[in-house]
Amino acid sequence: MPLWLDLLRIPMAAPESAGLRRMRLVWQGLCLSVALLVGFFARVHSALGRAAPCLAAGLLVAAALYTWLYARRKNAADTAFLEQTGKAG
């Protein structure tokens, strides 16, 4: 059987738990917030003044750290699921 066909038959991710779903939604919200802040930075800067760059930096750091945390937990859940089902490489 070709490798690509074999990979199609193997589940590549664990079913999403309530905790991971919540984390994914928070992560998506952080990403959307970063995108909106970047897109409307001139307006935010005129409204907040010197606090705007601090807000941007804080949001970027929060998004980066949360991305790292979410990726670790998602990867651990996927690995545990694949080991449990006996399909881990």
Side-chain angles (χ1 to χ4, degrees):
M1 174 179 305
L3 177 63
W4 66 270
L5 187 57
D6 192 37
L7 288 175
L8 284 176
R9 296 180 13 192
I10 299 173
M12 300 305 282
E16 189 174 54
S17 67
L20 280 176
R21 182 176 190 274
R22 194 174 320 111
M23 285 189 77
R24 179 178 51 84
L25 293 174
V26 169
W27 176 73
Q28 288 173 334
L30 280 170
C31 291
L32 181 61
S33 298
V34 168
L36 288 172
L37 184 66
V38 168
F40 296 104
F41 187 76
R43 291 184 185 182
V44 173
H45 190 269
S46 65
L48 298 179
R50 290 184 177 195
C54 296
L55 174 67
L59 198 54
L60 285 170
V61 168
L65 291 175
Y66 204 80
T67 298
W68 174 78
L69 179 64
Y70 174 69
R72 276 187 60 128
R73 290 195 179 163
K74 176 71 173 136
N75 189 32
D78 290 345
T79 301
F81 175 74
L82 290 175
E83 286 175 355
Q84 179 184 10
T85 58
K87 298 185 179 176

